[in-house]
């Protein structure tokens, strides 16, 4: 348990280097067991989701060494097809290990990921796709057992461009006989990064970043080295932090194309944004402008992982904004907490559309982080609020942000993270 203490009212000002992406490193770590050898991965974020993935790899029999931001994994002794239940529960996205384990051992046992803080998180697309590749799937007492004597390439159409399902198919099909074609694949940049990593091990994957991904099965893979792409959501969060505090920020080591869906909305809110080669500079406007309608959607739409942070920003706009969450249900649990801080937000009955009437000032309060991005949004609101804010339950934020309190302090904010091992906080 930990809490963030924030004293609001300081404008962020300065420069920050953005590290490797959470949603890129996770599928890469799920695929390192495939080469039965050494994978050297640079630019790894030191976030709790990375550490859970490392525990998962160790449980599967891999040797892991994490030095600086370089992770070296030796999967030559990977020996079990069972993913420990406690780790799958700790990190829902560890379901992505299913594809890698199945491709490696011809069978996989993993606990059902169940619901989560973002609402029900179905896995029907994952299971449909694995069945098409030849897996037999049995669900028993909360566990999923996948078995395949032989995986064979297939044509797989996803009804929705699910990121996790696209990645699970890419991993499962690496050794399948013949070609696998995914249509309506997710187009997120992290899928391109996964393709790069798989190909660096000798896989034959093309089309990532488009809706049409082709995986030609190979017999074996070899050692690999890769550098993880920058975290576009962490970058978007810091840009929004500068915007909400009326500050100026330069982010380095970013990929401009990945950020455009986010910066186009920040510009609509009045921010001035300038890209240079691998950096972006944002200057906040004197007054935030409302955004008539902002809808989340699969890439290249506006990322659902930035919705909560934009909601926080628009609480301070000089007018009315509307945000429609179309990707996940129940992704608005930060809203009642923002209201405690003086925000004026009405949530529709379905819980997916919010109408935000900008207020002149937010007031510090004790609020609770309910999920990763919602927690980040509360920190942003705290930075812009009058007085002190306490954001409880730091563990959600620590899943995806490496020392957010240090980065914000370096940029001029007043924020500390207080850990309490006894759980009193
Ligand atoms: C990934 C990201 C997460 C991001 C999300 C959407 C990782 C580790 N996590 O999550 O940060 O918010 O993409 O960009 O990369 N769905 C089904 N059936 C399925 C699978 C998904 O109906 O079998 C639905 C989900 O309920 C959700 C939508 O599809 O409504 C999107 O989910 P998906 O793209 O799969 O997200 P994740 O891969 O879980």
């Amino acid at each position: 348990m930990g809490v963030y203490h924030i004293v609001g009212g300081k404008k962020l000002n300065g420069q920050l280097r953005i590290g490797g992406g959470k949603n890129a490193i996770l599928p890469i770590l799920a695929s390192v067991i495939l080469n039965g050898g050494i994978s050297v991965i640079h630019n790894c974020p030191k976030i709790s989701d990375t550490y859970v993935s490392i525990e998962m790899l160790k449980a599967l029999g891999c040797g892991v060494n994490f030095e600086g931001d370089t992770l070296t994994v030796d999967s030559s002794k990977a020996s079990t097809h069972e993913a420990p239940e406690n780790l799958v529960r700790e990190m829902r996205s560890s379901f992505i290990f299913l594809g890698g384990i199945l491709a490696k051992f011809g069978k996989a046992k993993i606990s059902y990921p169940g619901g989560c803080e973002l609402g029900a998180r179905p896995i029907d697309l994952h299971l449909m796709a694995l069945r098409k590749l030849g897996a037999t799937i049995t669900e028993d007492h909360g566990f999923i057992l996948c078995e395949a004597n032989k995986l064979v390439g297939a044509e797989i159409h996803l009804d929705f461009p699910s990121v996790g399902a696209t990645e699970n198919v890419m991993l499962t099909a690496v050794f399948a006989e013949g070609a696998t074609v995914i249509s309506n694949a997710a187009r997120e940049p992290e899928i391109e990064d996964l393709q790069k990593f798989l190909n660096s091990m000798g896989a034959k994957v093309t089309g990532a970043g488009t809706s049409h991904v082709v995986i030609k099965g190979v017999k074996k893979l070899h050692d690999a080295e890769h550098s993880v792409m920058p975290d576009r959501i962490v970058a978007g969060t810091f840009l929004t932090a500068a915007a909400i505090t009326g500050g100026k920020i330069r982010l380095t080591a970013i990929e401009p194309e990945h950020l455009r869906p986010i910066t186009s909305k920040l510009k609509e809110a009045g921010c001035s944004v300038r890209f240079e080669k691998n950096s972006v500079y944002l200057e906040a406007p004197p007054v935030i402008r409302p955004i008539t309608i902002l809808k989340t959607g699969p890439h290249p739409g506006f990322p659902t992982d930035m919705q909560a942070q934009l909601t926080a920003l628009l609480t301070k706009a000089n007018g009315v904004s509307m945000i429609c969450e179309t990707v996940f249900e129940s992704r608005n649990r930060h809203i009642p907490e923002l209201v405690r801080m003086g925000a004026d937000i009405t949530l529709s009955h379905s819980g997916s559309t919010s109408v935000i009437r900008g207020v002149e000032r937010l007031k510090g309060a004790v609020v609770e982080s309910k999920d990763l991005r919602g927690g980040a949004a509360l920190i942003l609101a705290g930075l812009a609020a009058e007085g002190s804010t306490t954001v409880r339950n730091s563990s959600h934020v620590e899943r995806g942000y490496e020392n957010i309190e240090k980065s914000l302090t370096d940029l001029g904010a007043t924020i500390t993270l207080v850990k309490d091992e006894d759980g009193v906080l």
Side-chain angles (χ1 to χ4, degrees):
M1 273 290 279
V3 300
Y4 294 102
H5 290 298
I6 304 160
V7 181
K10 304 261 175 67
K11 294 184 179 194
L12 294 198
N13 195 345
Q15 178 165 311
L16 178 70
R17 183 190 179 278
I18 297 299
K22 168 178 99 67
N23 289 353
I25 181 85
L26 298 183
I28 288 173
L29 292 183
S31 49
V32 292
I33 55 166
L34 291 170
N35 67 359
I38 306 289
S39 301
V40 179
I41 303 155
H42 305 288
N43 206 26
C44 292
K46 292 193 190 74
I47 50 176
S48 60
D49 272 10
T50 303
Y51 293 111
V52 175
S53 301
I54 290 174
E55 288 312 307
M56 181 73 84
L57 289 171
K58 286 181 178 166
L60 295 174
C62 298
V64 182
N65 181 39
F66 199 178
E67 254 183 79
D69 68 0
T70 299
L71 195 60
T72 306
V73 183
D74 176 358
S75 65
S76 59
K77 296 199 176 69
S79 54
T80 173
H81 68 283
E82 295 191 18
E85 187 186 355
N86 61 323
L87 297 176
V88 178
R89 279 187 187 281
E90 210 170 313
M91 189 179 74
R92 310 260 167 214
S93 42
S94 47
F95 197 65
I96 183 69
F97 276 83
L98 178 64
I101 297 175
L102 177 62
K104 171 89 178 172
F105 297 110
K107 57 185 173 177
K109 186 178 177 191
I110 192 162
S111 74
Y112 198 84
C116 81
E117 65 270 11
L118 306 183
R121 233 166 158 163
I123 49 166
D124 53 317
L125 296 171
H126 298 247
L127 301 187
M128 170 280 290
L130 299 195
R131 284 193 174 105
K132 283 214 161 166
L133 290 167
T136 309
I137 299 172
T138 39
E139 295 177 56
D140 183 28
H141 293 95
F143 284 90
I144 294 169
L145 187 63
C146 290
E147 285 175 287
N149 287 333
K150 186 164 141 191
L151 291 162
V152 180
E155 284 186 15
I156 294 166
H157 177 79
L158 299 177
D159 288 340
F160 183 89
S162 155
V163 174
T166 303
E167 294 167 343
N168 247 331
V169 174
M170 287 164 75
L171 267 58
T172 310
V174 156
F175 296 133
E177 190 180 289
T180 296
V181 178
I182 313 173
S183 54
N184 200 26
R187 291 182 282 163
E188 269 67 2
E190 289 75 14
I191 299 199
E192 282 181 73
D193 210 41
L194 178 61
Q195 169 177 290
K196 270 191 205 155
F197 178 66
L198 291 173
N199 289 347
S200 76
M201 293 199 288
K204 290 211 160 71
V205 187
T206 52
T210 75
S211 340
H212 192 85
V213 177
V214 180
I215 306 108
K216 288 190 181 146
V218 295
K219 291 261 184 293
K220 61 193 256 250
L221 299 175
H222 48 69
D223 294 352
E225 187 162 3
H226 180 76
S227 186
V228 179
M229 63 168 266
D231 196 313
R232 62 197 167 99
I233 304 301
V234 168
T237 303
F238 278 96
L239 291 177
T240 313
I244 199 172
T245 59
K248 298 173 193 167
I249 197 168
R250 181 183 305 281
L251 303 179
T252 61
I254 56 99
E255 175 50 56
E257 282 320 305
H258 297 170
L259 289 180
R260 290 198 203 279
I262 301 168
T263 51
S264 74
K265 289 296 162 194
L266 290 171
K267 281 185 183 172
E268 228 174 294
C271 299
S272 124
V273 178
R274 207 173 58 238
F275 285 105
E276 280 146 24
K277 202 166 163 246
N278 285 112
S279 68
V280 58
Y281 174 78
L282 177 141
E283 191 167 334
V287 183
I288 301 291
R289 290 205 296 259
I291 296 180
T292 316
I293 185 152
L294 186 159
K295 247 190 194 175
T296 64
H299 190 79
F302 184 82
T304 170
D305 285 353
M306 277 301 300
Q307 182 262 107
Q309 299 88 316
L310 261 284
T311 303
L313 177 69
L314 294 173
T315 62
K316 295 213 61 193
N318 65 344
V320 182
S321 307
M322 189 193 277
I323 298 192
C324 300
E325 172 57 59
T326 74
V327 179
F328 284 110
E329 55 181 74
S330 316
R331 198 164 205 185
N332 273 319
R333 303 210 301 160
H334 50 282
I335 287 182
E337 306 300 306
L338 288 172
V339 169
R340 291 169 75 95
M341 299 180 72
D344 182 351
I345 311 176
T346 315
L347 198 54
S348 67
H349 259 312
S350 66
S352 59
T353 301
S354 54
V355 175
I356 308 157
R357 287 168 220 83
V359 293
E360 214 152 284
R361 55 181 71 86
L362 295 172
K363 294 188 200 87
V366 177
V367 288
E368 182 148 339
S369 147
K370 310 272 170 123
D371 58 56
L372 165 58
R373 306 303 171 186
L378 295 176
I379 291 178
L380 301 198
L383 296 175
E386 272 180 3
S388 307
T389 295
T390 299
V391 181
R392 290 174 183 261
N393 226 344
S394 64
S395 59
H396 287 301
V397 175
E398 290 169 275
R399 282 188 44 222
Y401 296 88
E402 182 178 330
N403 287 335
I404 194 170
E405 66 288 357
K406 179 175 183 312
S407 304
L408 289 169
T409 303
D410 290 348
L411 292 164
T414 304
I415 174 170
T416 48
L417 170 60
V418 179
K419 290 272 192 173
D420 176 20
E421 305 306 335
D422 302 327
V424 177
L425 288 171

